[in-house]
Amino acid sequence: MTKSDLYAVFGQPIGHSLSPIIHKTFAEQTGQNLLYQAREVGLEHFTEALARFVAEGGRGLNCTVPLKELAWRQADVLTPRARLSGAVNTLIRQAEGGWLGDNTDGVGLCQDLTQQGVMLAGKRLLIIGAGGAARGIVQPLAEAGVASIAVVNRTRDKAVRLAETFQAVTALEVLDFAELDGRTFDVLINATSLSLSGEAPPLPAGCLHVSSICYDLAYNLKAPTPFVRWARMQGAAYSLDGIGMLVAQAAEAFYLWRGIRPDTRPVLASLIGAGQVVGERVG
Ligand code: ATR
């Protein structure tokens, strides 16, 4: 049997990463001979771990927390969407040597929304948060033909900087939480890290209408995230967490590496089934 092509995800912590099972399933589904490993790598060991991976013949790499910004700096070439996002989650080994850095998070979000039947064209969006996660999604959302994108963040300056970064792509309206009263949005995306501390962002109930869609970039296979719970209580039409985005960004990375698009649906269904998600995926 020919040797499998080597891929990996680096991050810290990495023990609970779903990427190995997702890529293993994609490889089986598409008949690709590859090995995908999870490696515990922190910021201080990234450079040497990457060099070792190259020496082993590594063909492609995913980077997750806390390495996405460092991977952005270490990439030899960046795709336009990665350059603006300031973060790289996918590295592709180039035939001539060196790494091409891309960011598949935003396109993963858009693909998951589309797959769930959410049309972005013409919608008024609210992004909650202005950190790394928000930076990764602005450009693909803007390119999906939305009517407008507003950003609300606890620290206004950070949202202003985000708007400046993307001004050539789209006009982002910067808001404080206090300015949300009386405003209504069609799609609300939680890009804060608040789920990690078990909280939902402080949004007024009135910023949803009966057809509004809420999407949390965070996910939890065991229970609905606080934002999904909040959205459901407010009567949002759909409230989704980020498990679909996780699978879709992996599929996009797989496509960049192997030139073949896996079907995300069975993988997503099996993850949700295995986790017995209590939260509604669509509902
Ligand atoms: P990530 O890479 O996950 O986006 P980050 O870059 O640290 O992480 O950004 C975290 C985001 O969550 C920021 O928008 C942050 O708001 P600030 O810019 O004001 O820090 C937001 N966030 C984190 N804790 C928050 C809290 N307690 N209340 C409101 N927003 C919070």
Side-chain angles (χ1 to χ4, degrees), residues 80-111:
R81 65 187 179 194
R83 184 170 301 117
L84 270 183
S85 73
V88 155
N89 74 338
T90 303
L91 287 162
I92 305 124
R93 193 72 188 157
Q94 301 296 278
E96 64 278 15
W99 291 104
L100 170 65
D102 199 2
N103 189 327
T104 65
D105 284 334
V107 75
L109 169 65
C110 292
Q111 281 170 8

mmCIF file of all heavy atoms in Angstrom, residues 80-111:
data_model
loop_
_atom_site.group_PDB
_atom_site.id
_atom_site.type_symbol
_atom_site.label_atom_id
_atom_site.label_comp_id
_atom_site.label_asym_id
_atom_site.label_seq_id
_atom_site.Cartn_x
_atom_site.Cartn_y
_atom_site.Cartn_z
ATOM 1 N N PRO A 80 -6.089 36.367 -0.521
ATOM 2 C CA PRO A 80 -6.650 37.683 -0.168
ATOM 3 C C PRO A 80 -7.570 37.624 1.049
ATOM 4 O O PRO A 80 -7.504 38.482 1.932
ATOM 5 C CB PRO A 80 -7.421 38.080 -1.429
ATOM 6 C CG PRO A 80 -6.729 37.351 -2.536
ATOM 7 C CD PRO A 80 -6.284 36.044 -1.941
ATOM 8 N N ARG A 81 -8.398 36.582 1.139
ATOM 9 C CA ARG A 81 -9.322 36.530 2.289
ATOM 10 C C ARG A 81 -8.578 36.300 3.595
ATOM 11 O O ARG A 81 -8.985 36.784 4.647
ATOM 12 C CB ARG A 81 -10.439 35.492 2.069
ATOM 13 C CG ARG A 81 -9.972 34.062 2.000
ATOM 14 C CD ARG A 81 -11.108 33.112 1.606
ATOM 15 N NE ARG A 81 -10.635 31.738 1.524
ATOM 16 C CZ ARG A 81 -11.294 30.742 0.972
ATOM 17 N NH1 ARG A 81 -12.486 30.954 0.444
ATOM 18 N NH2 ARG A 81 -10.808 29.521 0.939
ATOM 19 N N ALA A 82 -7.472 35.577 3.538
ATOM 20 C CA ALA A 82 -6.675 35.366 4.756
ATOM 21 C C ALA A 82 -5.947 36.644 5.138
ATOM 22 O O ALA A 82 -5.858 36.985 6.321
ATOM 23 C CB ALA A 82 -5.680 34.233 4.546
ATOM 24 N N ARG A 83 -5.453 37.375 4.133
ATOM 25 C CA ARG A 83 -4.684 38.584 4.439
ATOM 26 C C ARG A 83 -5.532 39.548 5.259
ATOM 27 O O ARG A 83 -5.103 40.070 6.283
ATOM 28 C CB ARG A 83 -4.230 39.256 3.136
ATOM 29 C CG ARG A 83 -3.342 40.469 3.392
ATOM 30 C CD ARG A 83 -2.703 41.002 2.137
ATOM 31 N NE ARG A 83 -1.893 39.992 1.485
ATOM 32 C CZ ARG A 83 -2.130 39.496 0.264
ATOM 33 N NH1 ARG A 83 -3.151 39.945 -0.436
ATOM 34 N NH2 ARG A 83 -1.351 38.580 -0.252
ATOM 35 N N LEU A 84 -6.757 39.772 4.830
ATOM 36 C CA LEU A 84 -7.625 40.712 5.542
ATOM 37 C C LEU A 84 -8.042 40.185 6.907
ATOM 38 O O LEU A 84 -8.193 40.954 7.854
ATOM 39 C CB LEU A 84 -8.894 40.968 4.714
ATOM 40 C CG LEU A 84 -8.841 42.122 3.721
ATOM 41 C CD1 LEU A 84 -10.195 42.278 3.059
ATOM 42 C CD2 LEU A 84 -8.430 43.419 4.398
ATOM 43 N N SER A 85 -8.233 38.897 7.021
ATOM 44 C CA SER A 85 -8.753 38.357 8.277
ATOM 45 C C SER A 85 -7.701 38.372 9.389
ATOM 46 O O SER A 85 -8.040 38.295 10.564
ATOM 47 C CB SER A 85 -9.273 36.934 8.078
ATOM 48 O OG SER A 85 -8.188 36.056 7.931
ATOM 49 N N GLY A 86 -6.425 38.444 9.019
ATOM 50 C CA GLY A 86 -5.368 38.473 10.035
ATOM 51 C C GLY A 86 -5.161 37.131 10.722
ATOM 52 O O GLY A 86 -4.480 37.044 11.740
ATOM 53 N N ALA A 87 -5.757 36.084 10.182
ATOM 54 C CA ALA A 87 -5.663 34.765 10.814
ATOM 55 C C ALA A 87 -5.664 33.689 9.738
ATOM 56 O O ALA A 87 -6.336 33.832 8.715
ATOM 57 C CB ALA A 87 -6.846 34.551 11.758
ATOM 58 N N VAL A 88 -4.907 32.636 9.989
ATOM 59 C CA VAL A 88 -4.840 31.500 9.059
ATOM 60 C C VAL A 88 -5.259 30.242 9.803
ATOM 61 O O VAL A 88 -4.728 29.952 10.874
ATOM 62 C CB VAL A 88 -3.405 31.369 8.493
ATOM 63 C CG1 VAL A 88 -3.106 29.954 8.050
ATOM 64 C CG2 VAL A 88 -3.183 32.344 7.343
ATOM 65 N N ASN A 89 -6.237 29.526 9.244
ATOM 66 C CA ASN A 89 -6.598 28.240 9.852
ATOM 67 C C ASN A 89 -6.190 27.073 8.968
ATOM 68 O O ASN A 89 -6.299 25.919 9.379
ATOM 69 C CB ASN A 89 -8.101 28.175 10.176
ATOM 70 C CG ASN A 89 -8.956 27.987 8.948
ATOM 71 O OD1 ASN A 89 -8.524 28.295 7.836
ATOM 72 N ND2 ASN A 89 -10.157 27.495 9.128
ATOM 73 N N THR A 90 -5.720 27.366 7.739
ATOM 74 C CA THR A 90 -5.351 26.300 6.808
ATOM 75 C C THR A 90 -4.046 26.664 6.104
ATOM 76 O O THR A 90 -3.952 27.749 5.515
ATOM 77 C CB THR A 90 -6.457 26.103 5.744
ATOM 78 O OG1 THR A 90 -7.697 25.831 6.417
ATOM 79 C CG2 THR A 90 -6.143 24.953 4.811
ATOM 80 N N LEU A 91 -3.074 25.768 6.171
ATOM 81 C CA LEU A 91 -1.815 25.950 5.449
ATOM 82 C C LEU A 91 -1.701 24.854 4.391
ATOM 83 O O LEU A 91 -1.987 23.680 4.667
ATOM 84 C CB LEU A 91 -0.627 25.868 6.408
ATOM 85 C CG LEU A 91 -0.439 27.081 7.341
ATOM 86 C CD1 LEU A 91 0.466 26.716 8.507
ATOM 87 C CD2 LEU A 91 0.126 28.286 6.582
ATOM 88 N N ILE A 92 -1.301 25.268 3.201
ATOM 89 C CA ILE A 92 -1.199 24.333 2.079
ATOM 90 C C ILE A 92 0.254 24.338 1.622
ATOM 91 O O ILE A 92 0.785 25.403 1.269
ATOM 92 C CB ILE A 92 -2.126 24.772 0.917
ATOM 93 C CG1 ILE A 92 -3.565 24.919 1.431
ATOM 94 C CG2 ILE A 92 -2.048 23.806 -0.248
ATOM 95 C CD1 ILE A 92 -4.165 26.271 1.195
ATOM 96 N N ARG A 93 0.890 23.160 1.629
ATOM 97 C CA ARG A 93 2.294 23.069 1.206
ATOM 98 C C ARG A 93 2.373 23.283 -0.299
ATOM 99 O O ARG A 93 1.634 22.645 -1.065
ATOM 100 C CB ARG A 93 2.857 21.694 1.584
ATOM 101 C CG ARG A 93 4.366 21.593 1.472
ATOM 102 C CD ARG A 93 5.065 22.360 2.556
ATOM 103 N NE ARG A 93 6.514 22.435 2.362
ATOM 104 C CZ ARG A 93 7.280 23.375 2.897
ATOM 105 N NH1 ARG A 93 6.762 24.329 3.652
ATOM 106 N NH2 ARG A 93 8.579 23.385 2.694
ATOM 107 N N GLN A 94 3.245 24.184 -0.727
ATOM 108 C CA GLN A 94 3.372 24.488 -2.141
ATOM 109 C C GLN A 94 4.392 23.564 -2.804
ATOM 110 O O GLN A 94 5.366 23.141 -2.165
ATOM 111 C CB GLN A 94 3.810 25.947 -2.310
ATOM 112 C CG GLN A 94 2.834 26.939 -1.682
ATOM 113 C CD GLN A 94 1.482 26.894 -2.367
ATOM 114 O OE1 GLN A 94 1.283 27.502 -3.398
ATOM 115 N NE2 GLN A 94 0.541 26.150 -1.792
ATOM 116 N N ALA A 95 4.174 23.265 -4.076
ATOM 117 C CA ALA A 95 5.065 22.341 -4.797
ATOM 118 C C ALA A 95 6.510 22.835 -4.741
ATOM 119 O O ALA A 95 7.456 22.050 -4.619
ATOM 120 C CB ALA A 95 4.600 22.202 -6.240
ATOM 121 N N GLU A 96 6.693 24.149 -4.802
ATOM 122 C CA GLU A 96 8.045 24.719 -4.821
ATOM 123 C C GLU A 96 8.584 24.949 -3.406
ATOM 124 O O GLU A 96 9.651 25.543 -3.209
ATOM 125 C CB GLU A 96 8.052 26.032 -5.626
ATOM 126 C CG GLU A 96 7.216 27.163 -5.046
ATOM 127 C CD GLU A 96 5.717 27.087 -5.377
ATOM 128 O OE1 GLU A 96 5.242 26.023 -5.832
ATOM 129 O OE2 GLU A 96 5.017 28.075 -5.146
ATOM 130 N N GLY A 97 7.845 24.481 -2.391
ATOM 131 C CA GLY A 97 8.228 24.714 -0.988
ATOM 132 C C GLY A 97 7.474 25.926 -0.463
ATOM 133 O O GLY A 97 6.888 26.681 -1.230
ATOM 134 N N GLY A 98 7.469 26.090 0.843
ATOM 135 C CA GLY A 98 6.753 27.204 1.458
ATOM 136 C C GLY A 98 5.283 26.861 1.672
ATOM 137 O O GLY A 98 4.773 25.852 1.169
ATOM 138 N N TRP A 99 4.629 27.725 2.477
ATOM 139 C CA TRP A 99 3.231 27.481 2.845
ATOM 140 C C TRP A 99 2.341 28.585 2.307
ATOM 141 O O TRP A 99 2.646 29.767 2.468
ATOM 142 C CB TRP A 99 3.074 27.453 4.370
ATOM 143 C CG TRP A 99 3.709 26.274 5.049
ATOM 144 C CD1 TRP A 99 4.874 26.268 5.760
ATOM 145 C CD2 TRP A 99 3.199 24.931 5.097
ATOM 146 N NE1 TRP A 99 5.122 25.012 6.252
ATOM 147 C CE2 TRP A 99 4.116 24.168 5.861
ATOM 148 C CE3 TRP A 99 2.072 24.299 4.581
ATOM 149 C CZ2 TRP A 99 3.934 22.817 6.117
ATOM 150 C CZ3 TRP A 99 1.889 22.944 4.837
ATOM 151 C CH2 TRP A 99 2.803 22.219 5.588
ATOM 152 N N LEU A 100 1.226 28.183 1.713
ATOM 153 C CA LEU A 100 0.164 29.124 1.364
ATOM 154 C C LEU A 100 -0.819 29.131 2.528
ATOM 155 O O LEU A 100 -1.296 28.065 2.938
ATOM 156 C CB LEU A 100 -0.539 28.690 0.074
ATOM 157 C CG LEU A 100 -1.825 29.442 -0.287
ATOM 158 C CD1 LEU A 100 -1.536 30.916 -0.598
ATOM 159 C CD2 LEU A 100 -2.527 28.785 -1.482
ATOM 160 N N GLY A 101 -1.105 30.320 3.071
ATOM 161 C CA GLY A 101 -2.029 30.421 4.199
ATOM 162 C C GLY A 101 -3.403 30.893 3.751
ATOM 163 O O GLY A 101 -3.525 31.857 2.983
ATOM 164 N N ASP A 102 -4.420 30.210 4.222
ATOM 165 C CA ASP A 102 -5.794 30.609 3.884
ATOM 166 C C ASP A 102 -6.629 30.622 5.162
ATOM 167 O O ASP A 102 -6.222 30.092 6.198
ATOM 168 C CB ASP A 102 -6.387 29.635 2.853
ATOM 169 C CG ASP A 102 -7.589 30.219 2.124
ATOM 170 O OD1 ASP A 102 -7.945 31.396 2.384
ATOM 171 O OD2 ASP A 102 -8.191 29.508 1.297
ATOM 172 N N ASN A 103 -7.794 31.243 5.068
ATOM 173 C CA ASN A 103 -8.731 31.211 6.184
ATOM 174 C C ASN A 103 -10.080 30.740 5.652
ATOM 175 O O ASN A 103 -10.713 31.442 4.860
ATOM 176 C CB ASN A 103 -8.859 32.599 6.816
ATOM 177 C CG ASN A 103 -9.659 32.551 8.108
ATOM 178 O OD1 ASN A 103 -10.581 31.736 8.239
ATOM 179 N ND2 ASN A 103 -9.303 33.374 9.059
ATOM 180 N N THR A 104 -10.486 29.542 6.051
ATOM 181 C CA THR A 104 -11.718 28.951 5.510
ATOM 182 C C THR A 104 -12.896 29.111 6.477
ATOM 183 O O THR A 104 -13.976 28.583 6.221
ATOM 184 C CB THR A 104 -11.515 27.449 5.191
ATOM 185 O OG1 THR A 104 -11.263 26.737 6.416
ATOM 186 C CG2 THR A 104 -10.351 27.224 4.242
ATOM 187 N N ASP A 105 -12.696 29.851 7.582
ATOM 188 C CA ASP A 105 -13.774 29.974 8.575
ATOM 189 C C ASP A 105 -15.004 30.693 8.004
ATOM 190 O O ASP A 105 -16.134 30.240 8.163
ATOM 191 C CB ASP A 105 -13.273 30.741 9.809
ATOM 192 C CG ASP A 105 -12.389 29.869 10.692
ATOM 193 O OD1 ASP A 105 -12.548 28.638 10.669
ATOM 194 O OD2 ASP A 105 -11.540 30.431 11.406
ATOM 195 N N GLY A 106 -14.752 31.833 7.359
ATOM 196 C CA GLY A 106 -15.887 32.640 6.876
ATOM 197 C C GLY A 106 -16.661 31.933 5.783
ATOM 198 O O GLY A 106 -17.896 31.933 5.779
ATOM 199 N N VAL A 107 -15.933 31.312 4.866
ATOM 200 C CA VAL A 107 -16.616 30.604 3.790
ATOM 201 C C VAL A 107 -17.360 29.396 4.367
ATOM 202 O O VAL A 107 -18.458 29.034 3.915
ATOM 203 C CB VAL A 107 -15.634 30.259 2.643
ATOM 204 C CG1 VAL A 107 -14.724 29.132 2.984
ATOM 205 C CG2 VAL A 107 -16.361 29.976 1.369
ATOM 206 N N GLY A 108 -16.799 28.800 5.423
ATOM 207 C CA GLY A 108 -17.487 27.698 6.104
ATOM 208 C C GLY A 108 -18.803 28.155 6.712
ATOM 209 O O GLY A 108 -19.823 27.472 6.605
ATOM 210 N N LEU A 109 -18.785 29.330 7.328
ATOM 211 C CA LEU A 109 -20.022 29.878 7.897
ATOM 212 C C LEU A 109 -21.067 30.090 6.800
ATOM 213 O O LEU A 109 -22.229 29.681 6.945
ATOM 214 C CB LEU A 109 -19.722 31.213 8.599
ATOM 215 C CG LEU A 109 -20.939 32.034 9.001
ATOM 216 C CD1 LEU A 109 -21.763 31.316 10.071
ATOM 217 C CD2 LEU A 109 -20.523 33.427 9.486
ATOM 218 N N CYS A 110 -20.644 30.727 5.698
ATOM 219 C CA CYS A 110 -21.600 31.015 4.613
ATOM 220 C C CYS A 110 -22.148 29.720 4.012
ATOM 221 O O CYS A 110 -23.339 29.616 3.719
ATOM 222 C CB CYS A 110 -20.942 31.871 3.536
ATOM 223 S SG CYS A 110 -20.573 33.536 4.116
ATOM 224 N N GLN A 111 -21.278 28.721 3.857
ATOM 225 C CA GLN A 111 -21.743 27.448 3.294
ATOM 226 C C GLN A 111 -22.727 26.757 4.232
ATOM 227 O O GLN A 111 -23.719 26.180 3.802
ATOM 228 C CB GLN A 111 -20.562 26.534 2.989
ATOM 229 C CG GLN A 111 -19.879 26.923 1.694
ATOM 230 C CD GLN A 111 -18.564 26.185 1.485
ATOM 231 O OE1 GLN A 111 -18.228 25.274 2.221
ATOM 232 N NE2 GLN A 111 -17.826 26.611 0.474
#
